[in-house]
Amino acid sequence: MDWTLIWKFVKFCVVGFSGMVVDFGVTWLCKEKLHWNKYLSNSLGFVLAASNNYLWNRIWTFQSTSNHIPVEYGKFFLISLIGLGINNLVIYLLHDKLHWNFYLSKLLAIGVVTLWNFVMNYLFTFKG
């Protein structure tokens, strides 16, 4: 068993939790208080959370020393954008089609996207 990989995943999840607070907070503020479209609100929350997560994953989880920060951030953000598509698809299917609660749908979408993001960032963004 690769304990280093497991520890990285645990750290990634801790960082992800901080991102989830940003994501839910921004989404709630924009959707409920500003009355913006739920997908626009969700997207803004997700993008701000992704930027927060990049910073903390670079420093703490993967301890990157790369001097190519714009390239690294670009990779991280691309993976996050694909994750955003997955996130919105899950919300669409669960909330719009199956009529589940919006925030429960969003929580499940975050779980799916967490696995996607970790694997892709481990293999692609911070690979060495």
Side-chain angles (χ1 to χ4, degrees), residues 16 20 27 46-47 90-91 99 109 124:
M20 187 176 77
T27 300
F46 195 87
V47 167
V90 171
I91 289 172
H99 308 291
F124 183 62

Side-chain angles (χ1 to χ4, degrees), residues 14-26:
V14 169
V15 170
F17 182 77
S18 76
M20 187 176 77
V21 170
V22 171
D23 188 352
F24 269 73
V26 170

Side-chain angles (χ1 to χ4, degrees), residues 3-13 61-62 118 122:
W3 290 106
T4 302
L5 182 62
I6 292 169
W7 181 238
K8 282 185 189 302
F9 182 71
V10 168
K11 290 166 112 178
F12 191 85
C13 288
T61 305
F62 296 103
F118 178 76
Y122 179 77

